[in-house]
Amino acid sequence: MAREPQFLVEFAAEMNTLGPTAFQVKYRGFVLVGVSLVARVSERPLSWKRRTLGAISSDEPLHAASIVGRVWRVRKGEGAQRGAAVMVGQTADNDILLPEYTVSSQHASFSFDAAGMSITDLGSLNGTKVDGVLLEPLQPIRIKDQQQITIGRICFDFLGADNFVAAVRARSDFR
């Protein structure tokens, strides 16, 4: 079995092979597309028991290159219980693995219901933001296509199928 593409340019090559219609059928659903690294993680208010200061690593340009343009599908891992939340964190037991020092072991979760999708910060150390607004821990909020989500210091575009196809199409031969 071939490995699933990981970067927008790899998805574009697959779209060139499959064609736009078959590609859209195969990749329906939501994705996170890495946009950038936030320069520093902001400190929590003093009322929080734990605080983390941002740190600048010597491998910043290399690390940013591994994030920008990378695609994570928002879905459960194979064999997972249907209807369960999609877990995000830096350990292998998460559905979306983000091996980054500002991401907690179990950082956030996505959940689906009849009304749409929600994201919940799971009490992470460095927080989760939607369109720049820091989420309260354990308080789910509705999210929509094309919102920006920051997990730790990684900034993502949250895209539905149509906008994901448009982002891939912009990098493919199908214009």
Side-chain angles (χ1 to χ4, degrees):
M1 185 166 121
R3 159 183 94 75
E4 183 173 284
Q6 294 182 345
F7 290 89
L8 281 174
V9 294
E10 294 171 344
F11 281 98
E14 186 169 5
M15 179 185 279
N16 289 336
T17 301
L18 295 175
T21 304
F23 181 88
Q24 188 161 9
V25 168
K26 183 175 180 180
Y27 294 108
R28 60 186 181 275
F30 289 97
V31 298
L32 295 171
V33 178
V35 174
S36 66
L37 293 177
V38 176
R40 290 196 176 270
V41 176
S42 58
E43 286 191 40
R44 297 283 194 167
L46 291 175
S47 61
W48 283 64
K49 292 181 181 174
R50 303 179 302 183
R51 294 188 315 165
T52 297
L53 298 174
I56 302 298
S57 167
S58 61
D59 65 348
E60 290 295 324
L62 178 63
H63 190 62
S66 71
I67 299 294
V68 174
R70 174 109 188 242
V71 176
W72 289 266
R73 293 175 72 186
V74 181
R75 64 178 183 177
K76 292 298 295 174
E78 289 187 33
Q81 180 181 355
R82 190 167 168 82
V86 176
M87 303 299 291
V88 180
Q90 69 162 280
T91 57
D93 59 338
N94 288 286
D95 301 301
I96 299 175
L97 174 63
L98 301 174
E100 215 289 316
Y101 72 94
T102 61
V103 175
S104 295
S105 296
Q106 289 194 328
H107 195 102
S109 67
F110 291 94
S111 56
F112 306 87
D113 62 27
M117 187 178 290
S118 298
I119 187 169
T120 303
D121 181 274
L122 300 175
S124 68
L125 187 60
N126 290 307
T128 304
K129 295 179 181 178
V130 175
D131 289 338
V133 177
L134 185 65
L135 303 184
E136 290 295 322
L138 306 176
Q139 298 296 314
I141 69 153
R142 275 289 163 226
I143 53 175
K144 304 180 302 256
D145 187 16
Q146 296 188 295
Q147 287 191 288
Q148 196 162 77
I149 296 174
T150 306
I151 296 174
R153 68 180 185 142
I154 305 172
C155 189
F156 301 94
D157 283 337
F158 177 74
L159 301 176
D162 291 341
N163 285 308
F164 175 54
V165 168
V168 171
R169 187 178 287 228
R171 294 185 177 247
S172 76
D173 293 338
F174 289 96
R175 304 247 180 211

